[in-house]
Amino acid sequence: MRPEDSDFLLINNTTEDNTIVEYFDSEEDKDLAKFAEIVKTKPNCNQKHFIVYRGDDYCAVETDNVENTYIFSSTREPFIMSKLVEGLETIDTLIEEDKRFKAMLAKHVPQPGFKLCDANGEIIPDGKGFSLQIVGDPEEVLDKEDDEDTEGLPEEEKLYDDDWLFAFSDSTEEYGYALCASPGNGDIFECETIDDIVYLKHEGGYLYFPTDSNSSSIYIGEAVPTKEQRIEIYYDDDGDIYLTAFEGSNYVDCDWIKCSFGVIGLYGSTKPMKLRIHM
């Protein structure tokens, strides 16, 4: 960690979690092998990986092989860190997952003249209203932080049920409205094509990722998103879509706060969220 990034420790209470901290002034200054040996002498620390915080992103390093690393953005930090700590992922599995996802996106890269279509292949003209539905996986149970709403229900009633719809909810943050999800009727969206680029809109505003915030959420704003703020659309083979950050660098998922409410954003999960367009 660079000295100028030390505020990170205060924000994340890092020093209270059996954490060793070492500062470095530059990439050339850091000695990963030396730090790995220190980690091995501390039984309360994770013995498989340690994290290098570089101000703009993170780098997970394998303790037994410091040449084996995985770089990830701040928007993916909560997901990646928890998976590594819990032993659900390794650096190698994260690298392989990225390769699989990039290979999938490569087959469906938006081309010049890209048009938004529904699941039946019908082109959606600019200004035409539609709703967005989360397409669930019947093999997976919702991963909820608060599952009190499903307590006592049979497992089959807790499954992703194909009925989660996007909705905007008033946000307490400075950006105004955030994109959320809940069962029932969703909001109406539309698209607008500018210079061959398709933008998603709601009530006249553009969906975008704020680049000047640590927030992972999607917001609505009056200005046309910049390249870095842009939401890109990719088609799956079945006509459903994925939403990603610029050039597929991270993809959109839903963080289910409870079974009846989720927040849409960039969480770096290993499985992209599929959406179905309904006109």
Side-chain angles (χ1 to χ4, degrees), residues 1 59 63 117 153 215 262 273:
M1 176 182 294
C59 180
T63 307
C117 300
L153 290 178
S215 175
M273 177 181 67

Side-chain angles (χ1 to χ4, degrees), residues 147-158:
D147 62 357
E148 61 182 10
D149 291 353
T150 63
E151 187 174 356
L153 290 178
E155 285 300 314
E156 60 270 17
E157 294 185 29
K158 299 181 183 180

Side-chain angles (χ1 to χ4, degrees), residues 60 62 67-71 76 80 84 89-103 270:
E62 185 177 332
E67 298 298 321
N68 193 22
T69 62
Y70 179 76
I71 296 173
R76 304 187 70 193
I80 298 297
L84 288 173
E89 297 280 3
T90 66
I91 289 176
D92 290 334
T93 60
L94 289 170
I95 291 173
E96 287 304 310
E97 188 63 39
D98 277 5
K99 288 180 180 178
R100 285 193 294 272
F101 181 66
K102 289 177 180 178
T270 57

Side-chain angles (χ1 to χ4, degrees), residues 68-86:
N68 193 22
T69 62
Y70 179 76
I71 296 173
F72 54 99
S73 65
S74 58
T75 56
R76 304 187 70 193
E77 181 266 335
F79 175 83
I80 298 297
M81 296 276 271
S82 64
K83 291 299 183 183
L84 288 173
V85 170
E86 294 169 15

Side-chain angles (χ1 to χ4, degrees), residues 118-136:
D118 65 12
N120 298 318
E122 292 189 29
I123 294 176
I124 301 174
D126 287 3
K128 175 73 173 179
F130 57 86
S131 59
L132 292 167
Q133 179 185 24
I134 298 178
V135 181

Side-chain angles (χ1 to χ4, degrees), residues 161-233:
D161 200 22
D162 283 84
D163 60 354
W164 302 99
L165 297 172
F166 273 47
F168 274 99
S169 176
D170 194 12
S171 170
T172 58
E173 298 190 39
E174 60 180 303
Y175 298 98
Y177 284 87
L179 192 59
C180 301
S182 64
N185 296 321
D187 281 343
I188 300 300
F189 300 87
E190 59 188 44
C191 63
E192 179 180 353
T193 306
I194 304 174
D195 296 332
D196 256 354
I197 299 171
V198 175
Y199 297 91
L200 296 176
K201 302 183 69 177
H202 174 69
E203 295 186 349
Y206 298 88
L207 275 63
Y208 75 101
F209 301 112
T211 54
D212 58 347
S213 168
N214 290 326
S215 175
S216 301
S217 300
I218 296 174
Y219 294 94
I220 180 172
E222 297 180 358
V224 176
T226 65
K227 181 173 66 174
E228 291 75 18
Q229 295 174 329
R230 190 184 305 159
I231 294 173
E232 294 193 344
I233 304 166

